[in-house]
mmCIF file of all heavy atoms in Angstrom:
data_model
loop_
_atom_site.group_PDB
_atom_site.id
_atom_site.type_symbol
_atom_site.label_atom_id
_atom_site.label_comp_id
_atom_site.label_asym_id
_atom_site.label_seq_id
_atom_site.Cartn_x
_atom_site.Cartn_y
_atom_site.Cartn_z
ATOM 1 N N ASP A 155 -60.118 71.545 12.494
ATOM 2 C CA ASP A 155 -59.920 72.707 11.610
ATOM 3 C C ASP A 155 -61.163 73.033 10.792
ATOM 4 O O ASP A 155 -61.181 74.015 10.061
ATOM 5 C CB ASP A 155 -58.745 72.440 10.657
ATOM 6 C CG ASP A 155 -58.964 71.191 9.795
ATOM 7 O OD1 ASP A 155 -59.709 70.289 10.231
ATOM 8 O OD2 ASP A 155 -58.400 71.132 8.694
ATOM 9 N N MET A 156 -62.207 72.238 10.919
ATOM 10 C CA MET A 156 -63.403 72.468 10.094
ATOM 11 C C MET A 156 -64.230 73.616 10.681
ATOM 12 O O MET A 156 -64.149 73.899 11.870
ATOM 13 C CB MET A 156 -64.240 71.184 10.015
ATOM 14 C CG MET A 156 -63.516 70.023 9.363
ATOM 15 S SD MET A 156 -63.049 70.347 7.643
ATOM 16 C CE MET A 156 -64.502 69.792 6.791
ATOM 17 N N PRO A 157 -65.075 74.269 9.838
ATOM 18 C CA PRO A 157 -65.798 75.449 10.318
ATOM 19 C C PRO A 157 -66.900 75.166 11.348
ATOM 20 O O PRO A 157 -66.930 75.815 12.390
ATOM 21 C CB PRO A 157 -66.392 76.051 9.033
ATOM 22 C CG PRO A 157 -66.298 74.997 7.986
ATOM 23 C CD PRO A 157 -65.213 74.048 8.392
ATOM 24 N N SER A 158 -67.778 74.195 11.082
ATOM 25 C CA SER A 158 -68.912 73.997 12.010
ATOM 26 C C SER A 158 -68.670 72.801 12.900
ATOM 27 O O SER A 158 -69.133 71.690 12.624
ATOM 28 C CB SER A 158 -70.210 73.776 11.217
ATOM 29 O OG SER A 158 -70.410 74.835 10.343
ATOM 30 N N ILE A 159 -67.944 73.036 13.980
ATOM 31 C CA ILE A 159 -67.603 71.901 14.846
ATOM 32 C C ILE A 159 -68.171 72.079 16.250
ATOM 33 O O ILE A 159 -68.468 73.188 16.689
ATOM 34 C CB ILE A 159 -66.069 71.705 14.940
ATOM 35 C CG1 ILE A 159 -65.367 72.989 15.413
ATOM 36 C CG2 ILE A 159 -65.495 71.236 13.625
ATOM 37 C CD1 ILE A 159 -63.911 72.806 15.747
ATOM 38 N N MET A 160 -68.308 70.963 16.931
ATOM 39 C CA MET A 160 -68.735 70.995 18.335
ATOM 40 C C MET A 160 -67.521 71.343 19.194
ATOM 41 O O MET A 160 -66.386 71.082 18.801
ATOM 42 C CB MET A 160 -69.263 69.616 18.753
ATOM 43 C CG MET A 160 -70.533 69.197 18.026
ATOM 44 S SD MET A 160 -70.954 67.472 18.345
ATOM 45 C CE MET A 160 -71.516 67.560 20.037
ATOM 46 N N SER A 161 -67.766 71.896 20.364
ATOM 47 C CA SER A 161 -66.652 72.165 21.274
ATOM 48 C C SER A 161 -66.184 70.843 21.872
ATOM 49 O O SER A 161 -66.925 69.852 21.878
ATOM 50 C CB SER A 161 -67.098 73.104 22.393
ATOM 51 O OG SER A 161 -67.956 72.403 23.266
ATOM 52 N N VAL A 162 -64.945 70.839 22.380
ATOM 53 C CA VAL A 162 -64.415 69.610 22.981
ATOM 54 C C VAL A 162 -65.269 69.212 24.187
ATOM 55 O O VAL A 162 -65.521 68.020 24.412
ATOM 56 C CB VAL A 162 -62.934 69.802 23.380
ATOM 57 C CG1 VAL A 162 -62.427 68.619 24.202
ATOM 58 C CG2 VAL A 162 -62.075 69.966 22.143
ATOM 59 N N GLU A 163 -65.754 70.215 24.923
ATOM 60 C CA GLU A 163 -66.599 69.906 26.091
ATOM 61 C C GLU A 163 -67.870 69.172 25.656
ATOM 62 O O GLU A 163 -68.295 68.211 26.302
ATOM 63 C CB GLU A 163 -66.976 71.191 26.848
ATOM 64 C CG GLU A 163 -65.838 71.835 27.602
ATOM 65 C CD GLU A 163 -64.772 72.441 26.678
ATOM 66 O OE1 GLU A 163 -65.140 72.923 25.579
ATOM 67 O OE2 GLU A 163 -63.578 72.392 27.020
ATOM 68 N N GLU A 164 -68.460 69.655 24.564
ATOM 69 C CA GLU A 164 -69.683 69.000 24.063
ATOM 70 C C GLU A 164 -69.393 67.568 23.610
ATOM 71 O O GLU A 164 -70.149 66.635 23.890
ATOM 72 C CB GLU A 164 -70.254 69.804 22.886
ATOM 73 C CG GLU A 164 -70.917 71.098 23.287
ATOM 74 C CD GLU A 164 -71.264 71.970 22.073
ATOM 75 O OE1 GLU A 164 -70.435 72.078 21.143
ATOM 76 O OE2 GLU A 164 -72.358 72.532 22.067
ATOM 77 N N LEU A 165 -68.274 67.413 22.888
ATOM 78 C CA LEU A 165 -67.908 66.079 22.394
ATOM 79 C C LEU A 165 -67.636 65.131 23.557
ATOM 80 O O LEU A 165 -68.060 63.975 23.558
ATOM 81 C CB LEU A 165 -66.656 66.177 21.506
ATOM 82 C CG LEU A 165 -66.884 66.741 20.099
ATOM 83 C CD1 LEU A 165 -65.587 67.228 19.485
ATOM 84 C CD2 LEU A 165 -67.541 65.700 19.189
ATOM 85 N N ARG A 166 -66.935 65.665 24.551
ATOM 86 C CA ARG A 166 -66.598 64.872 25.730
ATOM 87 C C ARG A 166 -67.882 64.411 26.439
ATOM 88 O O ARG A 166 -68.022 63.248 26.803
ATOM 89 C CB ARG A 166 -65.787 65.742 26.680
ATOM 90 C CG ARG A 166 -64.677 65.004 27.359
ATOM 91 C CD ARG A 166 -63.765 65.954 28.074
ATOM 92 N NE ARG A 166 -62.473 66.033 27.440
ATOM 93 C CZ ARG A 166 -61.618 67.028 27.618
ATOM 94 N NH1 ARG A 166 -61.946 68.052 28.368
ATOM 95 N NH2 ARG A 166 -60.461 67.008 27.031
ATOM 96 N N ALA A 167 -68.797 65.334 26.597
ATOM 97 C CA ALA A 167 -70.054 64.999 27.284
ATOM 98 C C ALA A 167 -70.821 63.929 26.504
ATOM 99 O O ALA A 167 -71.447 63.041 27.088
ATOM 100 C CB ALA A 167 -70.902 66.257 27.439
ATOM 101 N N MET A 168 -70.736 64.012 25.195
ATOM 102 C CA MET A 168 -71.501 63.098 24.352
ATOM 103 C C MET A 168 -70.827 61.732 24.212
ATOM 104 O O MET A 168 -71.485 60.692 24.242
ATOM 105 C CB MET A 168 -71.660 63.736 22.967
ATOM 106 C CG MET A 168 -72.507 62.944 22.000
ATOM 107 S SD MET A 168 -72.582 63.783 20.403
ATOM 108 C CE MET A 168 -73.974 64.834 20.670
ATOM 109 N N LEU A 169 -69.490 61.736 24.065
ATOM 110 C CA LEU A 169 -68.803 60.499 23.666
ATOM 111 C C LEU A 169 -67.868 59.927 24.731
ATOM 112 O O LEU A 169 -67.432 58.791 24.612
ATOM 113 C CB LEU A 169 -67.969 60.745 22.390
ATOM 114 C CG LEU A 169 -68.731 61.300 21.185
ATOM 115 C CD1 LEU A 169 -67.745 61.726 20.108
ATOM 116 C CD2 LEU A 169 -69.698 60.263 20.634
ATOM 117 N N ASN A 170 -67.544 60.729 25.735
ATOM 118 C CA ASN A 170 -66.525 60.256 26.675
ATOM 119 C C ASN A 170 -66.946 60.422 28.133
ATOM 120 O O ASN A 170 -66.265 61.076 28.926
ATOM 121 C CB ASN A 170 -65.206 61.005 26.407
ATOM 122 C CG ASN A 170 -64.028 60.374 27.118
ATOM 123 O OD1 ASN A 170 -64.140 59.274 27.682
ATOM 124 N ND2 ASN A 170 -62.887 61.057 27.079
ATOM 125 N N PRO A 171 -68.065 59.802 28.499
ATOM 126 C CA PRO A 171 -68.537 59.971 29.881
ATOM 127 C C PRO A 171 -67.585 59.366 30.907
ATOM 128 O O PRO A 171 -67.547 59.817 32.042
ATOM 129 C CB PRO A 171 -69.891 59.232 29.877
ATOM 130 C CG PRO A 171 -69.816 58.276 28.736
ATOM 131 C CD PRO A 171 -68.939 58.926 27.717
ATOM 132 N N THR A 172 -66.835 58.348 30.522
ATOM 133 C CA THR A 172 -65.929 57.694 31.479
ATOM 134 C C THR A 172 -64.557 58.354 31.507
ATOM 135 O O THR A 172 -63.663 57.899 32.234
ATOM 136 C CB THR A 172 -65.753 56.195 31.142
ATOM 137 O OG1 THR A 172 -65.289 56.091 29.787
ATOM 138 C CG2 THR A 172 -67.051 55.429 31.288
ATOM 139 N N ARG A 173 -64.385 59.394 30.692
ATOM 140 C CA ARG A 173 -63.139 60.164 30.669
ATOM 141 C C ARG A 173 -61.895 59.305 30.412
ATOM 142 O O ARG A 173 -60.943 59.323 31.197
ATOM 143 C CB ARG A 173 -62.960 60.967 31.971
ATOM 144 C CG ARG A 173 -64.021 62.016 32.169
ATOM 145 C CD ARG A 173 -63.915 63.039 31.052
ATOM 146 N NE ARG A 173 -65.202 63.681 30.799
ATOM 147 C CZ ARG A 173 -65.559 64.862 31.250
ATOM 148 N NH1 ARG A 173 -64.722 65.554 31.969
ATOM 149 N NH2 ARG A 173 -66.727 65.373 30.948
ATOM 150 N N VAL A 174 -61.930 58.580 29.316
ATOM 151 C CA VAL A 174 -60.702 57.914 28.869
ATOM 152 C C VAL A 174 -59.816 58.998 28.247
ATOM 153 O O VAL A 174 -60.294 60.106 27.945
ATOM 154 C CB VAL A 174 -61.005 56.790 27.840
ATOM 155 C CG1 VAL A 174 -61.846 55.705 28.480
ATOM 156 C CG2 VAL A 174 -61.657 57.323 26.578
ATOM 157 N N PRO A 175 -58.505 58.746 28.045
ATOM 158 C CA PRO A 175 -57.659 59.775 27.430
ATOM 159 C C PRO A 175 -58.233 60.214 26.086
ATOM 160 O O PRO A 175 -58.643 59.376 25.280
ATOM 161 C CB PRO A 175 -56.318 59.050 27.236
ATOM 162 C CG PRO A 175 -56.337 57.939 28.240
ATOM 163 C CD PRO A 175 -57.757 57.537 28.385
ATOM 164 N N ASP A 176 -58.328 61.528 25.878
ATOM 165 C CA ASP A 176 -58.863 62.007 24.590
ATOM 166 C C ASP A 176 -57.982 63.119 24.025
ATOM 167 O O ASP A 176 -57.282 63.806 24.769
ATOM 168 C CB ASP A 176 -60.330 62.440 24.705
ATOM 169 C CG ASP A 176 -60.569 63.432 25.829
ATOM 170 O OD1 ASP A 176 -59.586 63.887 26.451
ATOM 171 O OD2 ASP A 176 -61.741 63.764 26.083
#
Side-chain angles (χ1 to χ4, degrees):
Chain A
D155 59 334
M156 298 298 271
S158 305
I159 56 170
M160 295 170 72
S161 71
V162 171
E163 289 69 33
E164 287 171 318
L165 284 161
R166 219 169 249 161
M168 184 181 272
L169 304 170
N170 193 9
T172 56
R173 296 297 153 99
V174 297
D176 52 6

